[in-house]
Amino acid sequence: MKLFGSPLVWLLRVRHRCGYGVHSPFAFRFITEVLYERACFYRYAELDRALKPWQRMRLRKGLHLLLRLANWRQPERMVVRGCSRLEPLYLQAGCRRAALYANYPEGAVDLIWLGCPDDEALRHLHSGTLLLLDRLDRHKAWFYGLPSVVSFDLGDLGIAFFDGQYYKQNYIVNF
């Protein structure tokens, strides 16, 4: 996750804030209840103590989102590839019962966190998988080529849902 976002990019994406223009009930609920949730979660203060003071500005926002995503989705199997030591801590805090893997286990995976594109991840997708791609600004072509049904472009993080009950849609969200 990027440490500091560009104010110019934020201003260009401001019309995509808080779910404005989103007509899908699923996507609107996801944006308002997960992405823009402002309530204080039970583990924020404890996990944030591990952050250095210079990391607390921008990095903390993305890490809190990971905790909320894991808490909302409640995955049973998570794969974390190409990340720092912080992302697995926040994902595991969001869902304690989930098994966390560094490599792909046999069968389907419920949540995949990628630091960079990985074509091996495509073999482990099933209906209901949630894929998170860090540094989306560098890997947009790979992300938009995924066979996902619903995807969210948060600027530096991409979120893709693989669920056949929704129509294919790409949303840009100013996060």
Side-chain angles (χ1 to χ4, degrees):
M1 289 183 204
K2 280 197 246 179
L3 191 57
F4 296 102
S6 171
L8 180 61
V9 171
W10 189 87
L11 285 173
L12 291 173
R13 296 168 64 106
V14 75
R15 66 186 171 106
H16 301 289
R17 183 152 172 76
C18 296
Y20 296 124
V22 175
H23 298 289
S24 165
F26 162 75
F28 184 78
R29 257 191 335 270
F30 176 73
I31 291 170
T32 57
E33 295 174 8
V34 179
L35 296 181
Y36 285 110
E37 176 65 44
R38 297 294 177 225
C40 186
F41 272 70
Y42 52 95
R43 299 280 308 268
Y44 282 170
E46 177 187 337
L47 291 168
D48 288 348
R49 285 189 209 115
L51 295 175
K52 295 175 177 66
W54 54 271
Q55 291 176 319
R56 291 190 179 149
M57 290 180 74
R58 176 79 173 138
L59 190 58
R60 184 175 63 176
K61 181 178 178 181
L63 291 171
H64 286 187
L65 174 62
L66 293 181
L67 189 143
R68 290 192 308 267
L69 282 169
N71 187 34
W72 174 71
R73 196 62 169 192
Q74 290 296 311
E76 291 184 20
R77 302 170 92 189
M78 296 188 290
V79 172
V80 179
R81 306 266 318 226
C83 66
S84 71
R85 63 175 181 81
L86 295 171
E87 285 90 354
L89 291 175
Y90 280 81
L91 284 170
Q92 194 71 48
C95 185
R96 293 181 191 158
R97 68 179 176 89
L100 190 64
Y101 299 96
N103 293 317
Y104 296 101
E106 289 296 320
V109 178
D110 300 318
L111 189 143
I112 300 173
W113 165 265
L114 297 175
C116 61
D118 184 8
D119 291 330
E120 188 180 350
L122 301 177
R123 291 194 295 260
H124 297 277
L125 301 174
H126 67 89
S127 181
T129 298
L130 175 63
L131 185 133
L132 308 168
L133 178 64
D134 195 16
R135 300 189 180 197
L136 181 64
D137 52 345
R138 297 181 186 173
H139 311 293
K140 281 192 189 244
W142 186 84
F143 183 73
Y144 284 121
L146 289 173
S148 65
V149 176
V150 179
S151 63
F152 296 88
D153 177 350
L154 305 183
D156 58 345
L157 180 68
I159 301 173
F161 289 92
F162 298 85
D163 197 342
Q165 71 179 0
Y166 303 116
Y167 293 109
K168 184 163 181 69
Q169 184 69 39
N170 297 317
Y171 296 101
I172 296 173
V173 179
N174 193 22
F175 181 69

